[in-house]
């Protein structure tokens, strides 16, 4: 009964604030229209607009992995997962109709399976304060994911959001990460007085690679085994653009404070219930961008797993970027994570530095970054070795991006 009350409370508390994700009628989460119109088809009245868009990223990657103290006889490779990659190759279109419906569909040709369909949604705005979105889109959790994809500060997301946690049980199905990303569902959202807004939604909780209805009822809580999520923000200087760096927005003065939370009921093949919560800050002040987040996840096993313990994880980052010139942005980020859980000493600290260069008049963006994955405070060498399993100690990425 306590868990049901928690879900109801979550849905009731969230409708109060403002969000950058839905600030623009032509918002698509991939390509910003700031300072450019591109190719658009529309009626003279402006009640119907159709705009195709494109984002292609190609990257060179170099990753060096620690040998974790293994005997050289194992002949492990220190250099792995290196070479060239295409993180995203997205073709999509967005638009609006009848002055109240916006829509978006995008295909990521660099993905496979269900993730090929990156987004597919339409949004009905009855008024500025109340709209309903249905389909596949970004879940309302973390500033890092809700930033326009082509305008992220670094070419690689914070590892504290994307790395699977370490659990002291050999259950291969239980490898949740803190970030939630794209999912299928429905949400209500709105903006009040251009400063306060909200998003409250219910999603499958199966992530971007599943496009079918595959969930059931919770055996433990007797409610639908779905992802219940919400986010509220306060922006004292008006709606903040969903960007971490845009040469066409060098005179902005915006600030954002946000809180988000979610509960994924019987996620990970019905083995755990995952609760997440996060707090975020972002600021644009002329040439300067600053951002910071901290997030928490509790992983609790279902009764059928016969494991009484629950596990708690904490992560976050602080990052900033400054336009040294109108085209060159210097960047830095400090990322941290208790990947082994709060009950085990030690955490990952992952500093990164980089630069972004925006070519004039052709929509090309060059990004380069270096990241080091350090480990500190562990009680044993085994804890230390487990903490960075699958993570490169030294990582370098150079990415060239084109948008249309």
């Amino acid at each position: 009964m306590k868990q049901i009350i928690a879900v109801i409370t979550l849905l009731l508390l969230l409708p109060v604030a403002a969000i950058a994700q839905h600030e623009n009628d032509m918002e698509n989460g991939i390509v910003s229209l700031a300072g450019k119109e591109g190719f658009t088809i529309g009626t003279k009245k402006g009640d119907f607009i159709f705009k195709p868009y494109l984002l292609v990223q190609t990257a060179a990657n170099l990753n060096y992995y620690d040998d974790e103290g293994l005997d050289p006889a194992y002949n492990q490779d220190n250099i792995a997962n290196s070479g060239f990659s295409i993180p995203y190759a997205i073709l999509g279109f967005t638009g609006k109709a009848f002055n109240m419906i916006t829509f978006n569909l995008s295909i990521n040709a660099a993905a496979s399976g269900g993730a090929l369909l990156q987004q597919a949604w339409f949004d009905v705005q009855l008024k500025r304060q109340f709209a309903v979105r249905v389909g596949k889109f970004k879940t309302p959790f973390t500033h890092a994911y809700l930033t326009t994809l082509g305008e992220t500060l670094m070419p690689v997301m914070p590892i504290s959001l994307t790395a699977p946690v370490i659990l002291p049980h050999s259950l291969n199905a239980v490898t949740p990460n803190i970030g939630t990303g794209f999912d299928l569902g429905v949400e209500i959202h709105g903006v009040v007085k251009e400063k306060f807004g909200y998003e409250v939604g219910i999603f499958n909780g199966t992530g971007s690679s599943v496009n079918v209805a595959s969930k059931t009822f919770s055996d433990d809580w007797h409610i639908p085994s779905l992802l219940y999520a919400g986010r509220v923000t306060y922006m004292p200087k008006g709606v903040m653009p969903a960007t971490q760096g845009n040469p066409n927005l060098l005179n902005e003065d915006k600030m954002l404070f946000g809180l988000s939370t979610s509960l994924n009921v019987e996620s990970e093949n019905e083995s755990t219930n995952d609760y997440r919560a996060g707090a975020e800050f972002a600021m644009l002040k002329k040439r300067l961008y600053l951002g910071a987040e901290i997030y928490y996840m509790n992983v609790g096993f279902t009764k059928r797993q016969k494991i009484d313990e629950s596990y708690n994880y904490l992560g976050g980052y602080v990052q900033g970027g400054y336009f040294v010139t109108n085209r060159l942005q210097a960047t830095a980020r400090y990322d941290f994570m208790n990947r082994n859980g709060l009950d085990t000493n030690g955490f990952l600290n992952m500093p990164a530095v980089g630069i972004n260069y925006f070519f004039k008049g052709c929509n090309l963006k060059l990004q380069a970054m270096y990241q080091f994955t350090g480990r500190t405070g562990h009680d044993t060498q085994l804890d230390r070795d487990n903490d960075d399993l699958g993570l490169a100690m030294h990582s370098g990425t150079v990415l060239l991006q084109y948008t249309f």
Side-chain angles (χ1 to χ4, degrees), residues 11-228:
L11 295 178
L12 291 177
L13 285 179
L14 292 171
V16 209
I19 78 162
Q21 186 187 357
H22 305 303
E23 78 204 52
N24 193 307
D25 283 342
M26 300 294 286
E27 171 265 322
N28 57 66
I30 306 299
V31 177
S32 172
L33 300 186
K36 59 189 180 188
E37 288 188 15
F39 176 73
T40 303
I41 301 172
T43 61
K44 290 183 178 180
K45 293 181 180 180
D47 56 350
F48 180 85
I49 298 175
F50 179 88
K51 176 175 175 53
Y53 61 87
L54 172 95
L55 179 142
V56 177
Q57 294 179 340
T58 183
N61 308 96
L62 179 62
N63 291 295
Y64 175 90
Y65 294 82
D66 183 34
D67 58 18
E68 311 293 4
L70 293 176
D71 191 291
Y74 284 98
N75 196 31
Q76 70 275 7
D77 292 323
N78 293 112
I79 302 294
N81 298 322
S82 299
F84 297 99
S85 64
I86 298 181
Y88 292 97
I90 296 175
L91 180 63
F93 60 83
T94 185
K96 68 176 182 178
F98 310 112
N99 289 319
M100 64 180 294
I101 298 175
T102 58
F103 54 87
N104 184 43
L105 186 146
S106 61
I107 303 296
N108 181 16
S112 61
L116 276 168
L117 180 64
Q118 193 209 38
Q119 297 184 75
W121 54 259
F122 63 89
D123 196 288
V124 183
Q125 187 179 90
L126 302 180
K127 56 175 65 176
R128 181 69 166 156
Q129 296 83 3
F130 184 84
V132 180
R133 175 168 295 194
V134 296
K136 186 177 187 179
F137 50 94
K138 294 179 181 179
T139 53
F141 186 70
T142 77
H143 168 76
Y145 273 108
L146 294 175
T147 298
T148 300
L149 177 61
E151 297 194 2
T152 57
L153 190 71
M154 299 279 192
V156 177
M157 290 280 287
I159 289 177
S160 56
L161 279 172
T162 60
V165 300
I166 302 295
L167 282 163
H169 298 281
S170 57
L171 295 172
N172 293 328
V174 184
T175 55
N177 55 276
I178 295 180
T180 50
F182 289 91
D183 212 330
L184 277 72
V186 57
E187 76 169 26
I188 60 172
H189 62 91
V191 177
V192 180
K193 296 182 179 179
E194 299 302 310
K195 293 183 179 181
F196 304 94
Y198 66 92
E199 295 171 274
V200 180
I202 303 176
F203 303 85
N204 279 344
T206 49
S208 62
S209 61
V210 179
N211 295 324
V212 297
S214 60
K215 304 307 288 285
T216 181
F217 259 62
S218 165
D219 294 326
D220 294 351
W221 297 357
H222 309 295
I223 61 175
S225 58
L226 299 170
L227 171 68
Y228 303 84

Side-chain angles (χ1 to χ4, degrees), residues 328-339:
L328 179 64
Q329 184 186 32
T331 66
R333 180 172 73 205
Y334 175 74
D335 188 14
F336 73 93
M337 183 184 188
N338 287 98
R339 194 178 180 212

Side-chain angles (χ1 to χ4, degrees), residues 4 9 60 94 122 151 187 219 231 306 356 367 402:
I4 297 176
T9 302
T94 185
F122 63 89
E151 297 194 2
E187 76 169 26
D219 294 326
R231 178 174 179 256
K306 297 182 173 25
N356 299 326
Q367 294 185 280
Y402 175 73

Side-chain angles (χ1 to χ4, degrees), residues 68 340 375-376 378 380-388:
E68 311 293 4
N340 279 329
R375 300 163 291 176
T376 186
H378 298 84
T380 68
Q381 185 62 41
L382 180 61
D383 289 340
R384 178 180 169 86
D385 291 341
N386 284 340
D387 217 358
D388 71 341

